[in-house]
Amino acid sequence: MKVPFADLFRQFKPLVPEIQIAMNSIIERCAFINGPEVQQFERHMAKWIGLPEVCGVSNCTQALEMTMQALAIGPGDEVITVPNTAFPTTEAINLTGARVVFADITPGYFSIDPAQIEKKITSKTKAIIPVHLYGIPADMNAILAIAKKHSLYVIEDCAQAQGARYKGTYVGTMGTASCFSFFPSKNLGTFGDGGAMASADTGLIKKVRMIANHGRIDKYSHLIVGTNSRLDTFKAAQLSICLNHLDAWNQQRRDAAVLYEELLTPYKGIKLPRVPEGCEAIWHVYAIRHAKRDELTAYLKKQGIDTGLHYPMPLHFQPVYESMGLQKGSLPEAEAACAEVLSLPMFPGITDDEIQWVSKAIGDFCKQ
Ligand SMILES: Cc1ncc(COP(=O)(O)O)c(C=O)c1O
């Protein structure tokens, strides 16, 4: 049996007629930029997540960069985050002119270790960016307590975590601000790039909205130098339709994770992903760990099973960060995770047969 890593069309297919009607309506009105669908989606998402306001933008990388810009983070400042994330998390810090400071992850988990954050705080530290990697919430209470003690901003990287809950609360509602990605394969994905910034601080959202729209205060007045990072009307309309299905899609991912856990638990050598107590993951990625990850990947490929790597190289080993001089062993938990993680097929609509086939193949590998 062939099992894809993800199957977007399987997910979107039932919604295509509704999306096409929405697209046709936008074409007829030529409302491609800042059409009413953008505000409608922003209100829809704000209501869904439980915040007063959300700002739709072009992508999560710019959402992170613009949020830091709005918080006046820039040259001379330091921002703490993890090395086992997508490059855009740290790229956004660099784009503001601030310095990236890496903190290791909690042993046995994938998110930033609050104890390690404390060790990295200096007089230059301005913010912490916890990444809710794979859709598993980071240890927010501990992170928020540290931030409060040292007067730091917390910017939640929710690119992979639309709908994950930390002790009953949606991630993205606890920090100073939060940034979301609507890259097509994300739990809430669009037909291209897209993103959003959310915050309980409507003044901060106003600033990000202004930066995202060329620093405008009205059509012909520009208060600051901003950029062009608006969410397209087409994408906003499609996102609104898909947002109605996000909770159900996340539930399908959770059901798939439960089945993987049940089937994979007996096998030796596999470490299954753990969710902190009281949290609800939304499994953007279902990443297991195995000491012979690359051999397992090749074995699964031969059985027709596609897998992914999130992420094979900790960011402090990327050529672009060579000048940081961080040697092997400097962030051991994240380094070990990057060497061992393997993302299994996971998407709404994945069948029990597919999960059983993947799990059986992993079991056969473990028995060799
Ligand atoms: C953890 C994380 N942060 C940020 C981003 C950047 O998102 P975007 O592609 O929307 O700019 C991604 C995208 O892959 C991500 O996974």
Side-chain angles (χ1 to χ4, degrees):
M1 184 192 290
K2 282 209 174 308
V3 185
F5 177 62
D7 188 343
L8 290 182
F9 194 60
R10 207 185 294 186
Q11 177 181 344
F12 283 125
K13 201 175 166 194
L15 304 181
V16 168
E18 192 182 349
I19 292 169
Q20 278 172 340
I21 290 169
M23 301 286 150
N24 285 343
S25 158
I26 293 166
I27 292 168
E28 281 160 18
R29 286 176 282 126
C30 293
F32 305 118
I33 303 286
N34 280 339
E37 285 82 354
V38 177
Q39 275 188 17
Q40 279 160 17
F41 167 67
E42 289 176 341
R43 281 200 294 270
H44 189 174
M45 184 169 167
K47 189 167 175 227
W48 169 79
I49 201 169
L51 284 174
E53 204 179 329
V54 162
C55 176
V57 297
S58 292
N59 56 70
C60 183
T61 312
Q62 284 188 302
L64 288 163
E65 182 193 352
M66 294 187 296
T67 300
M68 285 184 266
Q69 201 182 334
L71 291 167
I73 295 171
D77 297 331
E78 293 177 355
V79 178
I80 299 174
T81 194
V82 285
N84 61 325
T85 179
F87 181 62
T89 308
T90 54
E91 185 179 39
I93 300 170
N94 295 132
L95 285 167
T96 68
R99 200 168 83 85
V100 175
V101 175
F102 288 118
D104 211 347
I105 56 172
T106 306
Y109 293 91
F110 294 111
S111 295
I112 199 160
D113 183 347
Q116 298 297 325
I117 297 176
E118 291 258 39
K119 294 182 190 164
K120 301 292 172 114
I121 294 174
T122 71
S123 59
K124 295 178 179 170
T125 310
K126 283 287 177 327
I128 305 163
I129 303 186
V131 181
H132 304 295
L133 197 74
Y134 308 150
I136 306 173
D139 188 357
M140 287 306 291
N141 279 351
I143 295 164
L144 292 169
I146 294 167
K148 194 170 174 203
K149 184 170 149 199
H150 298 273
S151 301
L152 305 176
Y153 299 121
V154 175
I155 303 164
E156 296 179 67
D157 183 335
C158 298
Q160 304 190 2
Q162 302 96 334
R165 281 195 176 90
Y166 177 83
K167 301 188 195 295
T169 307
Y170 273 137
V171 303
T173 59
M174 292 168 276
T176 316
S178 55
C179 299
F180 293 83
S181 171
F182 303 133
F183 184 84
S185 60
K186 296 294 195 267
N187 287 39
L188 179 64
T190 189
F191 296 171
D193 280 307
M197 176 269 185
S199 175
D201 180 346
T202 48
L204 184 63
I205 296 199
K206 198 172 166 194
K207 278 190 201 159
V208 168
R209 206 180 280 293
M210 183 168 49
I211 295 169
N213 194 17
H214 299 292
R216 269 199 181 94
I217 43 171
D218 61 45
K219 191 168 179 188
Y220 298 110
S221 312
H222 303 265
L223 196 63
I224 55 168
V225 173
T227 186
N228 179 354
S229 186
R230 297 171 298 232
L231 180 65
D232 297 326
T233 312
F234 272 140
K235 291 171 185 170
Q238 170 260 321
L239 283 165
S240 256
I241 292 167
C242 290
L243 184 51
N244 290 326
H245 300 268
L246 179 60
D247 291 332
W249 286 337
N250 284 344
Q251 187 55 47
Q252 288 179 37
R253 289 175 184 264
R254 273 194 291 272
D255 292 344
V258 167
L259 187 55
Y260 268 134
E261 185 171 336
E262 184 189 317
L263 296 172
L264 294 175
T265 296
Y267 301 126
K268 287 205 174 70
I270 300 282
K271 284 184 223 151
L272 298 177
R274 289 162 66 192
V275 179
E277 221 185 298
C279 294
E280 205 173 78
I282 45 106
W283 303 112
H284 172 59
V285 162
Y286 190 84
I288 60 168
R289 289 176 63 161
H290 194 285
K292 293 184 179 166
R293 187 265 314 277
D294 294 340
E295 288 166 49
L296 175 56
T297 307
Y299 182 84
L300 294 178
K301 187 85 201 152
K302 271 195 206 145
Q303 314 301 314
I305 297 163
D306 286 338
T307 54
L309 296 177
H310 302 87
Y311 297 86
M313 189 191 282
L315 293 181
H316 57 296
F317 294 164
Q318 287 289 349
V320 65
Y321 293 135
E322 211 179 294
S323 61
M324 283 187 177
L326 291 172
Q327 303 301 315
K328 206 163 184 246
S330 52
L331 296 151
E333 296 297 334
E335 288 168 27
C338 290
E340 292 183 356
V341 283
L342 179 64
S343 312
L344 303 185
M346 170 58 83
F347 52 93
I350 189 170
T351 64
D352 288 0
D353 282 353
E354 286 171 322
I355 295 170
Q356 272 154 5
W357 177 253
V358 174
S359 303
K360 184 187 171 304
I362 293 171
D364 292 345
F365 177 85
C366 291
K367 283 185 220 142
Q368 280 179 354

